[in-house]
Amino acid sequence: MSFSPLITMFYLAALIAVIASIKVVTRKNTVHALLYLVVSLIAVAVCFYLMGAPFAAGLEVIVYAGAILVLFVFAIMLFGLREDETHYAPQNRGFSGWIGPVCLSVILLIELVYTINHQGIQQQLLATVVDAKRVGILLYGPYLLAVEIASFLLLTGLVAAYHFAKTTNHGGPA
Amino acid sequence: MTTIPLEHVLILASILFFIGFIGVIARKNTLFILMSLEVMLNATGVAFIGAGSVWQQADGQIMFMLILTLAAAEVAIGLALLIRMQHQYRQLDIDVLSELKGDQG
């Protein structure tokens, strides 16, 4: 079987996603794992783009890598993990903390530029793309109830997160 | 017609899901468990997008958006609970929650 450039790009992005995910679950340092998690999510977004879902790829980058990971970063800053978590981590050895995510990200960038400049891949993608218009028509037609339930879920998450995270000195052992 | 075979997309989704599952099972730190849960939810999103791409339907992307909403709500509540845990126990080890069993005084 012969590999078309599109499939080769997909395998490369998938490989990066798998490597970064393995690094996420094996790192000692929380911030390093978070860096690898960002790389994994962006690689999966490239996979989405190559699968003909550019809207989902954009959402992946904006919501996952942009919003949820920022939430993680805020939480880690709140925890003040300096005294317990990085104590067990190896000492900072210059490049060692960020050279891995940087290498994976540079590979992803090269892949993205190659994909955008390659005419054959673009024609293949144009033939198979499911654009945002169809998603929006479905979303506000047959799936309207699901959208409402999702909005309730987000509101519940907001209220519950506020309730759990506020510091109370009454009612329960604090 | 799609150019990426569905089997390979599903294999990628399975591998990512399995990595996240191992992370949830093996790690002690609650923050890492939450991150591994993110990896698992992401893997299910890959499966949905792959299926929607094969059949050229937009339903897969809608399911992915619902998963995204679920992940956002889950992370918000999970991190709030982790902040409570850090306040009460001064650590994020999952083993300190074993007193939730209730029969240990």
Side-chain angles (χ1 to χ4, degrees):
Chain A
M1 58 189 291
S2 65
F3 290 120
S4 74
L6 177 63
I7 294 191
T8 313
M9 289 295 110
F10 175 77
Y11 285 154
L12 192 54
L15 187 68
I16 290 173
V18 168
I19 291 173
S21 301
I22 290 175
K23 295 273 190 182
V24 168
V25 299
T26 53
R27 287 302 96 177
K28 287 264 191 295
N29 196 325
T30 319
V31 183
H32 295 175
L34 208 58
L35 268 177
Y36 277 113
L37 188 54
V38 175
V39 175
S40 166
L41 293 175
I42 293 175
V44 169
V46 172
C47 287
F48 285 170
Y49 180 73
L50 292 174
M51 277 190 269
F55 186 53
L59 277 183
E60 173 97 8
V61 172
I62 293 170
V63 180
Y64 254 120
I68 295 180
L69 269 297
V70 168
L71 217 58
F72 269 106
V73 171
F74 282 163
I76 287 174
M77 285 194 289
L78 273 179
F79 290 151
L81 291 176
R82 267 188 302 277
E83 59 267 19
D84 55 1
E85 185 61 25
T86 55
H87 175 68
Y88 302 109
Q91 288 301 306
N92 193 5
R93 294 189 303 265
F95 290 122
S96 66
W98 48 272
I99 197 71
V102 164
C103 283
L104 294 179
S105 309
V106 165
I107 295 173
L108 273 178
L109 177 65
I110 292 169
E111 184 180 338
L112 188 66
V113 171
Y114 179 78
T115 305
I116 289 173
N117 284 328
H118 198 280
Q119 289 297 322
I121 291 179
Q122 287 299 318
Q123 282 174 357
Q124 270 180 314
L125 279 180
L126 275 182
T128 64
V129 71
V130 178
D131 57 349
K133 189 178 175 184
R134 287 176 60 191
V135 179
I137 288 173
L138 270 187
L139 200 58
Y140 288 98
Y143 285 97
L144 191 58
L145 186 62
V147 173
E148 292 292 334
I149 293 172
S151 70
F152 270 104
L153 182 69
L154 283 176
L155 179 64
T156 315
L158 176 69
V159 173
Y162 172 71
H163 172 71
F164 285 135
K166 71 177 176 183
T167 54
T168 53
N169 292 324
H170 51 82
Chain B
M1 68 107 185
T2 183
T3 49
I4 299 171
L6 179 61
E7 296 85 13
H8 298 174
V9 176
L10 290 182
I11 287 171
L12 169 66
S14 307
I15 291 173
L16 286 178
F17 193 88
F18 191 69
I19 291 169
F21 182 69
I22 291 293
V24 170
I25 295 295
R27 291 307 296 252
K28 295 275 190 193
N29 195 328
T30 334
L31 199 60
F32 278 92
I33 292 176
L34 216 54
M35 282 194 224
S36 307
L37 271 176
E38 288 304 300
V39 174
M40 288 172 74
L41 283 172
N42 205 26
T44 59
V46 171
F48 273 117
I49 296 283
S53 155
V54 166
W55 287 298
Q56 286 294 295
Q57 298 294 320
D59 302 64
Q61 296 191 40
I62 288 172
M63 287 301 155
F64 172 71
M65 288 167 68
L66 295 181
I67 290 175
L68 212 63
T69 317
L70 179 73
E74 173 240 336
V75 163
I77 297 179
L79 285 175
L81 284 173
L82 256 59
I83 289 170
R84 290 302 295 219
M85 189 175 165
Q86 177 80 8
H87 279 167
Q88 291 204 2
Y89 299 105
R90 295 290 158 202
Q91 58 179 336
L92 291 177
D93 201 320
I94 192 75
D95 287 339
V96 303
L97 296 181
S98 65
E99 64 189 57
L100 282 179
K101 283 187 290 189
D103 54 355
Q104 295 173 347

Short mmCIF file of all heavy atoms in Angstrom, two decimals, chain B residues 2 6 14 18 23 26 29-30 45 62 65 69 72 88 99 102:
data_model
loop_
_atom_site.label_atom_id
_atom_site.label_comp_id
_atom_site.label_asym_id
_atom_site.label_seq_id
_atom_site.Cartn_x
_atom_site.Cartn_y
_atom_site.Cartn_z
N THR B 2 -13.44 9.43 2.44
CA THR B 2 -12.34 9.89 3.28
C THR B 2 -11.05 9.20 2.86
O THR B 2 -11.07 8.14 2.25
CB THR B 2 -12.63 9.60 4.75
OG1 THR B 2 -11.56 10.12 5.52
CG2 THR B 2 -12.77 8.13 5.01
N LEU B 6 -10.83 4.42 8.75
CA LEU B 6 -11.46 4.53 10.06
C LEU B 6 -10.75 3.66 11.10
O LEU B 6 -10.67 4.03 12.27
CB LEU B 6 -12.93 4.12 9.96
CG LEU B 6 -13.74 4.17 11.25
CD1 LEU B 6 -13.76 5.58 11.79
CD2 LEU B 6 -15.15 3.69 11.02
N SER B 14 -8.01 4.46 20.58
CA SER B 14 -7.85 3.43 21.61
C SER B 14 -6.54 3.60 22.36
O SER B 14 -6.50 3.46 23.59
CB SER B 14 -7.90 2.05 20.97
OG SER B 14 -9.04 1.91 20.20
N PHE B 18 -6.25 4.37 26.23
CA PHE B 18 -5.55 3.44 27.11
C PHE B 18 -4.46 4.15 27.91
O PHE B 18 -4.28 3.88 29.10
CB PHE B 18 -4.95 2.32 26.28
CG PHE B 18 -4.44 1.18 27.10
CD1 PHE B 18 -5.33 0.36 27.78
CD2 PHE B 18 -3.09 0.93 27.20
CE1 PHE B 18 -4.87 -0.69 28.54
CE2 PHE B 18 -2.63 -0.13 27.96
CZ PHE B 18 -3.51 -0.94 28.63
N GLY B 23 -2.97 6.19 33.21
CA GLY B 23 -2.67 7.33 34.07
C GLY B 23 -3.64 7.43 35.23
O GLY B 23 -3.24 7.69 36.37
N ALA B 26 -2.80 4.44 37.63
CA ALA B 26 -1.50 4.27 38.24
C ALA B 26 -1.04 5.46 39.07
O ALA B 26 -0.28 5.29 40.02
CB ALA B 26 -0.46 3.98 37.15
N ASN B 29 -1.18 11.19 42.39
CA ASN B 29 -1.50 12.60 42.49
C ASN B 29 -2.85 12.88 41.81
O ASN B 29 -3.08 12.48 40.68
CB ASN B 29 -0.39 13.41 41.83
CG ASN B 29 -0.46 14.86 42.20
OD1 ASN B 29 -1.53 15.39 42.42
ND2 ASN B 29 0.68 15.50 42.29
N THR B 30 -3.73 13.56 42.50
CA THR B 30 -5.07 13.80 41.97
C THR B 30 -5.05 14.70 40.75
O THR B 30 -5.87 14.56 39.85
CB THR B 30 -5.95 14.43 43.05
OG1 THR B 30 -5.45 14.07 44.32
CG2 THR B 30 -7.34 13.94 42.94
N GLY B 45 -13.21 12.02 21.83
CA GLY B 45 -13.44 13.03 20.80
C GLY B 45 -12.82 12.63 19.48
O GLY B 45 -13.43 12.83 18.42
N ILE B 62 -20.68 17.56 16.53
CA ILE B 62 -21.58 18.02 17.60
C ILE B 62 -21.34 17.22 18.87
O ILE B 62 -21.30 17.78 19.97
CB ILE B 62 -23.03 17.92 17.11
CG1 ILE B 62 -23.26 19.01 16.07
CG2 ILE B 62 -24.00 18.08 18.25
CD1 ILE B 62 -24.55 18.91 15.38
N MET B 65 -18.39 18.57 20.48
CA MET B 65 -18.62 19.81 21.22
C MET B 65 -19.30 19.54 22.57
O MET B 65 -19.00 20.19 23.57
CB MET B 65 -19.48 20.76 20.39
CG MET B 65 -18.72 21.35 19.24
SD MET B 65 -19.78 22.17 18.07
CE MET B 65 -20.31 23.54 19.04
N THR B 69 -17.88 20.48 26.28
CA THR B 69 -18.62 21.11 27.37
C THR B 69 -18.49 20.30 28.66
O THR B 69 -18.25 20.84 29.74
CB THR B 69 -20.10 21.21 26.98
OG1 THR B 69 -20.18 21.63 25.63
CG2 THR B 69 -20.82 22.16 27.86
N ALA B 72 -15.10 20.75 30.17
CA ALA B 72 -14.93 22.04 30.84
C ALA B 72 -15.59 22.03 32.21
O ALA B 72 -14.98 22.43 33.22
CB ALA B 72 -15.52 23.15 29.97
N GLN B 88 -7.54 21.26 53.03
CA GLN B 88 -7.81 20.44 54.20
C GLN B 88 -6.66 19.52 54.55
O GLN B 88 -6.33 19.34 55.72
CB GLN B 88 -9.06 19.60 53.96
CG GLN B 88 -10.31 20.45 53.93
CD GLN B 88 -11.54 19.66 54.28
OE1 GLN B 88 -11.44 18.49 54.59
NE2 GLN B 88 -12.68 20.31 54.22
N GLU B 99 -10.28 7.77 53.80
CA GLU B 99 -11.15 7.83 54.98
C GLU B 99 -12.59 8.13 54.60
O GLU B 99 -13.46 8.13 55.45
CB GLU B 99 -10.65 8.89 55.95
CG GLU B 99 -10.68 10.29 55.42
CD GLU B 99 -9.97 11.25 56.36
OE1 GLU B 99 -8.78 11.03 56.66
OE2 GLU B 99 -10.62 12.18 56.80
N GLY B 102 -15.35 5.61 55.74
CA GLY B 102 -16.25 5.91 56.82
C GLY B 102 -16.15 5.02 58.04
O GLY B 102 -16.60 5.41 59.11
#
